[in-house]
Amino acid sequence: MIGALLYNNEIIPKVYGYSIIFGGILYIINSKNKNNEVLYATAYMVGSEIVLRMTDGNPVYEFSKFGVIIFILVGIYFQGISKNAIAYWIFLILLIPGVILTSLELNYTISLRKEISFNVSGPVCLGVCALYTYSRKVTIDQLNNLLLCIGLPIVSCATYLTIVTPNIKDIIVGTESNSLTSGGFGPNQVSTMLGLGMFIFASRLILLSNTFVQFSINLILTMCIAYRGFITFSRGGMITGFVMIFVLLVVSFIFIDKKRKLRMLGMIVFIFIAFLGAWSYSTEQTNGLIQKRYSNQDASGRLKEDQLTGRGELASEEIETFFENPIFGIGVGRNMEKRFERTGEIVVSHNEITRMIAEHGSLGILGLLIIFITPLILYVDNKYNIYLLCSLLFWLLTINHAAMRLAAPAFLYSLALLKVVKKEEPSL
């Protein structure tokens, strides 16, 4: 219903967006965050970010990341943070020298505030979320509900795309990513969120479909979201979603008993049939061009020389920049400034790893190591968090093709730090 109401309307998206902001804050304050309500409010904001960008429902373009930070800070006010989360304080401190460098050296023909906000808001959002979730105890039911809170607005997004997208056969003429099938918005970011939504409902299909109705709903949503993701012709988000599903299946299969293993094998067959159906329909609708896209071919069937659509060249430039400025880097956002001076075009990085090492230097490498290693250390004593590796992989794979344009990688990463317990333990 929300997805339909957002179509061709200037007021409803604003009402929807501001309702999430103010409703979320009231929800957290009224409950005093006694049961981690901040995580539910934040999850819904994360899931709604892409459809609000499409429909201009947020106050400003980057607001969802700032909104997540505001929500989390309110939650910290009521519930505090773990004293052992020192690693993420260090990570946030490591970002400061790059910001200082930018404020001293950035060419002021480019907005200082916008450059810093655009490039550092994602890492700051990750650090703040991680401070709150570090070793915070939740049950597996709460974690499943958190994922559902992300998935529901993605359903609204898929509905909106279904309504707004013209006839597929009339608009697909090549194998490039297509904004017409992405609500007029960046296909890379849309694909990222649809891939995440596909994973969320596939996970519910595998683990939480105890009745025929639940099974049918989750199966249909998984297929529909997968189809919408395929026809964006942006591969990164969909491949990430499939990798997450595969890892979840492996992790779940290891820990469940023999009886449930047989049931899961049956679910795997249904999932395979569902994705095969979505892929076959996508192939028919695009006259086979989707197969050429995933085979890295052009519309004539010729293999493309660049498999990374220009991203490899950008990453190479950023690595060279690191070797030229190995200690503190060149400063937040200055990569884009240098490209603008050289080519006259504004080209932003798609790879958060190479951007971090170019703009923050060795401090960026140290920050990345903290982010990557910490969840793996926690995993030793956190076996019940079956989504830990999936969350970490979503962050890692997404920042390699879409940087941290969205709040989703930061928040999904923070879910990997949650301590999942068998049952709810009384608070001290």
Side-chain angles (χ1 to χ4, degrees), residues 102-119:
T102 297
S103 64
L104 295 174
E105 300 184 26
L106 186 70
N107 183 337
Y108 283 88
T109 56
I110 300 177
S111 169
L112 175 67
R113 181 188 62 79
K114 285 184 179 179
E115 282 312 296
I116 293 176
S117 169
F118 182 79
N119 288 284

Side-chain angles (χ1 to χ4, degrees), residues 390-412:
C390 298
S391 298
L392 186 60
L393 277 170
F394 177 79
W395 166 77
L396 182 62
L397 296 177
T398 299
I399 67 170
N400 271 283
H401 72 85
M404 291 187 72
R405 306 273 195 276
L406 298 163
F411 185 67
L412 260 290

Side-chain angles (χ1 to χ4, degrees), residues 158 162 194 218-230 274 278:
T162 303
L194 291 174
N218 290 323
L219 181 65
I220 291 168
L221 288 175
T222 301
M223 290 179 67
C224 291
I225 294 173
Y227 168 68
R228 299 310 324 177
F230 284 140

